[in-house]
Amino acid sequence: LEFKRDLAPPPLAPLAARLLLPIEEMAALFALSLAALLGVASSALCVPSDSCPKLTDAKYCPVNDVKEHGDINRDVSQIKTYLAETPPNYVKAKEVYTNGMYSSKGTSNRTLQGLAQSDMTSSGKYTNAFYSGALDLYGSTNAVWEDIMIACFGGSGTCSGKSDTFRKTIINK
């Protein structure tokens, strides 16, 4: 092996300087840590530790109550379960997609269909680059995701004549 002298490693001083937080930031972090330890901060750990409303993974305990939002994952899991039946139960899977099952929103259910049809605009402009590009490509909000999902549940449109494997893959994504 041959070493070139002009390829010396960069000095450590600039790297070390970037890793150090300014005194003000360190003081703020210290104050927040102290408040959490003393139970002053509202985001402190739950006491007792098993009193937190954990999400469906039984591991994550959010500071705010987002359990109902997180429970939409249970709907996704239920759809996957229906699609794993032999033959795939597209009717029941679609019911969960359109009506929801586990994630409540006020007096009704939060649904995957509702999320697919969400208005992602602010002042008439899309705030998400993906949706902005997809809207330009497909022409409408529903065409971005909703129309494809409904077609695959029913074996029509995009999924007309497609195999169960194809349809289940699209729906599960």
Side-chain angles (χ1 to χ4, degrees):
L1 290 173
E2 202 177 301
F3 292 97
K4 294 185 178 183
R5 293 178 192 224
D6 60 336
L7 296 178
L12 292 178
L15 176 61
R18 285 186 302 218
L19 294 177
L20 296 177
L21 293 174
I23 293 294
E24 296 85 10
E25 289 181 36
M26 288 296 292
L29 286 173
F30 175 75
L32 285 172
S33 298
L34 183 59
L37 287 172
L38 296 175
V40 175
S42 63
S43 63
L45 295 174
C46 296
V47 177
S49 64
D50 62 351
S51 69
C52 290
K54 297 206 173 25
L55 296 182
T56 54
D57 66 3
K59 297 176 185 174
Y60 178 70
C61 179
V63 174
N64 298 322
D65 186 8
V66 295
K67 184 179 182 315
E68 290 300 332
H69 287 275
D71 280 346
I72 199 78
N73 293 331
R74 295 174 68 194
D75 286 3
V76 171
S77 179
Q78 187 63 54
I79 289 170
K80 185 175 181 178
T81 298
Y82 285 137
L83 295 177
E85 292 179 5
T86 305
N89 195 336
Y90 293 108
V91 172
K92 288 298 228 180
K94 183 180 175 184
E95 283 178 20
V96 175
Y97 175 78
T98 57
N99 300 325
M101 184 175 263
Y102 295 107
S103 181
S104 64
K105 182 179 183 179
T107 58
S108 61
N109 283 332
R110 179 175 287 105
T111 69
L112 291 164
Q113 183 178 47
L115 294 174
Q117 295 174 329
S118 293
D119 182 1
M120 303 288 285
T121 61
S122 176
S123 301
K125 295 185 179 185
Y126 278 82
T127 57
N128 179 301
F130 170 79
Y131 276 100
S132 180
L135 183 63
D136 288 344
L137 180 65
Y138 291 105
S140 74
T141 302
N142 276 355
V144 172
W145 191 248
E146 165 69 1
D147 294 348
I148 296 167
M149 291 293 288
I150 296 301
C152 288
F153 282 124
S156 62
T158 304
C159 289
S160 179
K162 301 294 184 186
S163 69
D164 284 333
T165 300
F166 180 89
R167 291 170 63 191
K168 292 189 306 184
T169 300
I170 297 297
I171 293 167
N172 282 320
K173 295 295 175 190

